[in-house]
Amino acid sequence: MSVPQSSRVSGDGVFDLTRTAVVVADRAGVTQGWTEGAERLLGYRVSEAVGRPLADLFTGVDPGPAPDSEWRTRLAAADGWSGLEAVRHKDGHRLDLELRILPVRDTEHGSARLLLAAEMTQTPWSGASRSFLEGILGMSPIGVGMVNADLRFVWLNDALEAMGGISREARLGKRLGDVQPGLAVKAIEAEMRRVLRTGLPSVGYEYLGRPQSDPQREHAYSTSFFRLQDGAGQVLGVCYMVLDVTESYRSRQRMALLNRAGERIGSSLDVWRTAQELADAAVPDLADFVTVDLLDALLSGEQPAAGPVEASALFSMRRAGQQSVREGCPEAVVTVGERASYPPSAPVVLSLTEGNSTLLQTLDLDDGEWAAEDPVHAAQLRALGFHSLMVVPLRARGVFLGAAAFARWQHTGPFQPDDLVLAEEFGTRAAMAIDNARRYTREHTTALTLQHSLLPRDLPDQCAVEAAYRYLPADSLSGVGGDWFDVIPLSGARVALVVGDVVGHGVHAAATMGRLRAAVQALADLPLSPEEVLAHLDDMVNRVADDAHTGTSGGADTAGNGVVGATCLYAVYDPVACSCTLARAGHPAPLLVSPTGAAELLELPTGPPLGLGGMPFESVELHLPEGSLLALYTNGLLMGKALDLDGGIARLRSALADPQAPLESLCDTVIDGLPGARPVDDVALLLARTRALPHTQLATWEIPADPSAVGEARRAAAARLAEWDLEELGFSTELIVSELVTNAIRHATGPISLRMIRARALICEVFDTGSTAPHLRHARTTDEGGRGLFLIARVAQRWGTRHTSQGKIIWAELPLRPAPFNATANDFSTLAADLGAPPAVTTADDQ
């Protein structure tokens, strides 16, 4: 079978038969026809070629282990085959051919194969388009390559040749995996095949790899693939354009790493945890091993010195954090918490003493002053393969806190200046977080000390109620809040029970709480009813809020820290009458549990919260049997995350179901029943179980308005002291009774009564219907009276006046154990003489 030389395959197609070797073979690969073009191309005459296997005539430059099998596969393809092949001419020189095998059918010979072969310099890759390829793409700074349908290189420009470090000659006819095994070959070729199959271009396909030009460093590439085809639609291959975007990729990676570090570093206000977060954030993306050392002065709560660190201070550094890509941090010579020491020439020391970051792109551990001064450490690092190091001093607000060291041992290349910039940014963020943690620790300690000084440490000694309490702040960070409680002993064996809640949490709420608690204690000593105490508190809160909003406190803008409001419950319990008077300012009503276990919320008038002003407060007086349990609390005890007040009351009722149980156990039961790990609001709980004063500890006499009744009152008081086994208080008690009764007879009207109470102290009270309060005044030496209250103030532990709806009560207290001044008649005479009065004076007119 012969093929006319004038024939064409695709008139303006790939193979021009005038310049192409045309060979006919059977399906077994034996040559049946040989043209002059084949003779010119390969050097074999017709007589030498016909009858020989194609594998002998097209001998590969680098033949595989079974070239005959490879040719049989090509010839057996139903749709033919095309590709590039490097073969030997008859005289031995190399020929780079583009081959195409086409199936041919005729009636004479049956199925056969037509082989077209042409040198690549004669194909369309370098023919009519040569000027375009070399003139435009060849000079492009972007790497451009073309592969045929078998993904073998047929053309590439100078930029791609330089980019990969592989010559053009070594690439042509080869696939990507043959010349660049360090790239992601499988993924790249899969993308090329997709483009060949679908015709859809792939733009901006990114991958990582290590090119032959720089095998020690990972590069990033952005590649676009386009399918090539001729005018007739015949697919020729793929053109791809490559950009080395390593720097851009690393910049994006650094930015992403910096963002992740910003999220991870400083998640808590703990110095040690923050230092460890810095080490964790830098490994493995930035370094293979990181250490963070902090000055002892910082860790102990002291104020580190500003500016570069003195060399002597570096002897007191501690390892605060470390991390490694190796499990267990084998590089570390100390553990976290231990002292870290360095020789004077170590990079950590130099960075802190000079105040600058250090970049050692090539770490020489075989020579140098540092290795000589610390040979053990240097030998360990050398054995572990460290080759690059960075040290960044940690400083914030002009204060040096420590240093972070970053090291590499893997084959990721040395640290670059951009890596140092990133490490410094890490260090800046960590230093700010560490300094904030340091400041917080100091302020937190101060705040806790403040609050502990503001809240009662122990409940005072009194006989009116048995009390217990619990306090739980909602602010887990600061540990301080604005709730408070108090138990304040009052005159007449009474006691004031107080619970309050300042809006907000933290230091400012605690400071405001302290002001309110101090105000309540001061007001409790005055002869005021519960509603009057709340009215005075309301005025005070308004003044504090005005000061805060106008910036009068220190001249700074403190509006953001001003008092928005507060609530308060104030109750006074009298164990003699077993009565309780209560008033509230926007505060939850207390829960009362009877001795039998019946629980009810007390219906009290709801006054406005403190700080609103404009509305009066009201009080309610209730009779409480002995053994009644009164629960005072703040909102946080009732309000869980669902703000279920009814559920909170139900939990409180259930916890206090046994009112006779020990109060400490009841407090624990109430707190343990709170929902969630921590309350949503501060919690203050005060439990008070009422007591009744026995009648045997109480004595009352009606006193006639007759001066002669003074002596009878003294004698009655002395007799009762004898019954109570308190004769040693006789003279002081008689003096107080004499002065108080005499004043009432002289200046008051209506009924007069004397009451003595034996409680934690001996209490003497004189009631009259007058409304004027007594006061101390300085008597002249010629006055016959006016010194009675001076005498009472001298012998009594405390004294005062309180008003009732019927009049007033003047009272004085004596300790059950006599004070160092044990009043006797001689002492009284001396005292009277000191006051300028005749020794015989036994009455007073101080009203």
Side-chain angles (χ1 to χ4, degrees), residues 642-676:
L643 304 180
D644 182 11
L645 296 179
D646 293 337
I649 293 295
R651 288 194 305 272
L652 184 60
R653 288 176 184 268
S654 176
L656 301 179
D658 182 8
Q660 303 307 318
L663 292 187
E664 293 294 333
S665 298
L666 290 177
C667 284
D668 291 338
T669 302
V670 172
I671 297 301
D672 292 343
L674 291 175

Side-chain angles (χ1 to χ4, degrees), residues 445-460 469 471 479-488 498 500 502 506-521:
T445 302
T446 303
L448 287 178
T449 302
L450 168 66
Q451 186 178 40
H452 291 163
S453 67
L454 296 177
L455 289 173
R457 298 181 181 179
D458 296 304
L459 297 180
Y469 67 90
Y471 178 81
V480 295
D483 290 10
W484 90 94
F485 60 91
D486 225 332
V487 176
I488 307 173
V498 189
V502 175
V507 176
H508 296 290
T512 302
M513 172 269 288
R515 299 175 72 171
L516 290 177
R517 180 172 180 251
V520 170
Q521 289 181 328

Side-chain angles (χ1 to χ4, degrees), residues 163 180-185 188 206-222 244 246 249-250:
M163 187 181 299
Q180 293 287 4
L183 301 184
V185 176
I188 297 171
E206 291 192 353
Y207 54 91
L208 300 175
R210 299 177 186 273
Q212 292 297 320
S213 58
D214 188 9
Q216 300 301 320
R217 185 184 181 204
E218 192 171 57
H219 286 244
Y221 298 96
S222 177
D244 189 328
T246 302
Y249 171 80
R250 290 186 176 179

Side-chain angles (χ1 to χ4, degrees), residues 36 81 89 108 123 135 197 216 225 291 348 354 364 501 514 557 593 655 692 718 800 842:
E36 292 181 6
W81 178 88
H89 189 273
E108 181 180 354
T123 64
R197 183 178 67 256
Q216 300 301 320
F225 302 94
T291 63
V348 169
E354 297 174 1
D364 187 0
D501 183 358
D557 179 14
V593 184
T842 58

Side-chain angles (χ1 to χ4, degrees), residues 536-556:
H536 284 287
L537 283 179
D538 184 57
D539 292 339
M540 192 203 89
V541 171
N542 279 319
R543 288 194 300 272
V544 172
D546 289 341
D547 290 346
H549 286 297
T550 56
T552 57
S553 300

Side-chain angles (χ1 to χ4, degrees), residues 231-298:
Q234 178 70 38
V235 175
L236 304 178
V238 173
C239 172
Y240 71 93
M241 301 180 179
V242 186
L243 279 175
D244 189 328
V245 293
T246 302
E247 296 307 319
S248 173
Y249 171 80
R250 290 186 176 179
S251 296
R252 295 197 307 270
Q253 291 296 101
R254 284 192 290 266
M255 184 59 67
L257 178 58
L258 189 58
N259 289 337
R260 292 196 299 271
E263 296 173 356
R264 297 176 63 181
I265 299 175
S267 64
S268 70
L269 289 173
D270 181 83
V271 171
W272 295 89
R273 181 173 175 180
T274 303
Q276 186 60 48
E277 287 172 345
L278 168 58
D280 294 340
V283 175
D285 295 315
L286 179 60
D288 300 325
F289 178 56
V290 175
T291 63
V292 182
D293 298 321
L294 298 179
L295 299 176
D296 260 351
L298 166 73

Side-chain angles (χ1 to χ4, degrees), residues 517-705:
R517 180 172 180 251
V520 170
Q521 289 181 328
L523 293 170
D525 284 336
L526 300 177
L528 300 173
S529 61
E531 67 270 19
E532 291 174 321
V533 170
L534 294 182
H536 284 287
L537 283 179
D538 184 57
D539 292 339
M540 192 203 89
V541 171
N542 279 319
R543 288 194 300 272
V544 172
D546 289 341
D547 290 346
H549 286 297
T550 56
T552 57
S553 300
D557 179 14
T558 57
N561 299 327
V563 180
V564 177
T567 65
C568 184
L569 173 65
Y570 188 89
V572 175
Y573 175 70
D574 185 349
V576 176
C578 291
S579 64
C580 185
T581 305
L582 308 95
R584 59 174 175 155
H587 202 81
L591 183 71
L592 175 64
V593 184
S594 70
T596 61
E600 63 172 325
L601 280 178
L602 296 181
E603 296 183 1
L604 305 180
T606 305
L610 301 176
L612 297 184
M615 294 183 65
F617 299 97
E618 298 180 55
S619 63
V620 171
E621 184 173 354
L622 304 172
H623 177 74
L624 300 183
E626 182 179 10
S628 299
L629 182 62
L630 196 61
L632 287 70
Y633 48 85
T634 56
N635 263 334
L637 190 72
L638 306 179
M639 296 169 60
K641 291 185 178 180
L643 304 180
D644 182 11
L645 296 179
D646 293 337
I649 293 295
R651 288 194 305 272
L652 184 60
R653 288 176 184 268
S654 176
L656 301 179
D658 182 8
Q660 303 307 318
L663 292 187
E664 293 294 333
S665 298
L666 290 177
C667 284
D668 291 338
T669 302
V670 172
I671 297 301
D672 292 343
L674 291 175
R678 295 200 65 85
V680 297
D681 195 8
D682 301 330
V683 172
L685 171 67
L686 178 61
L687 297 182
R689 181 178 290 137
T690 61
R691 294 168 176 159
L693 192 70
H695 292 292
T696 56
Q697 295 179 226
L698 178 69
T700 305
W701 300 275
E702 297 294 329
I703 307 296

